[in-house]
Amino acid sequence: MGGALRGEIVIALGYSEPDGGSDVAAARTRAVRDGDEWVINGQKMFTTGAHLNTHIFMILRTDPKAPKHEGLTTILVPRDQPGIEVRGIWTLSGERTNATFYTDARAPIVSGSAK
């Protein structure tokens, strides 16, 4: 995370989902382990700054068989890669937020990640 502290990377939050809102335990966007990477599929809503950032800090379902409040992992996902689409959503006051879509996007597994 040193890059974030030095301002070398800019992070958006990917928590909210279309059917779950800000209830992070309702997350359905999946991350499946593939060797030393996570493969990510799903959608996030209200990802403010996703059109400007370098990474998205996401809450992802890594164990679909676990109870609702378990089986979740927070993963830092590089945004500049194939499989990530950012669509602008404008509020009534003219501010921009985003819907983000993930199709086989990848993130490295770091020490301490879920197995």
Side-chain angles (χ1 to χ4, degrees):
M1 272 310 205
L5 296 174
R6 290 187 300 273
E8 297 168 356
I9 66 172
V10 179
I11 300 171
L13 299 178
Y15 294 168
S16 298
E17 294 198 3
D19 294 327
S22 58
D23 177 7
V24 296
R28 294 189 317 196
T29 300
R30 296 276 316 274
V32 176
R33 189 177 185 138
D34 180 25
D36 60 353
E37 294 182 308
W38 293 108
V39 179
I40 301 157
N41 286 283
Q43 178 183 352
K44 297 291 183 176
M45 291 294 295
F46 310 116
T47 313
T48 302
H51 60 297
L52 303 170
N53 71 340
T54 59
H55 291 74
I56 302 172
F57 200 48
M58 300 176 68
I59 293 180
L60 299 163
R61 176 100 17 223
T62 53
D63 183 355
K65 296 178 183 176
K68 179 179 176 179
H69 291 86
E70 298 175 15
L72 299 168
T73 304
T74 304
I75 299 172
L76 186 62
V77 180
R79 188 180 60 82
D80 187 19
Q81 64 171 296
I84 297 179
E85 179 184 352
V86 177
R87 292 186 195 163
I89 300 171
W90 283 263
T91 67
L92 291 175
S93 63
E95 296 176 278
R96 180 180 173 153
T97 187
N98 300 284
T100 53
F101 302 85
Y102 306 87
T103 306
D104 295 330
R106 293 185 171 262
I109 293 177
V110 296
S111 177
S113 293
K115 297 181 181 188

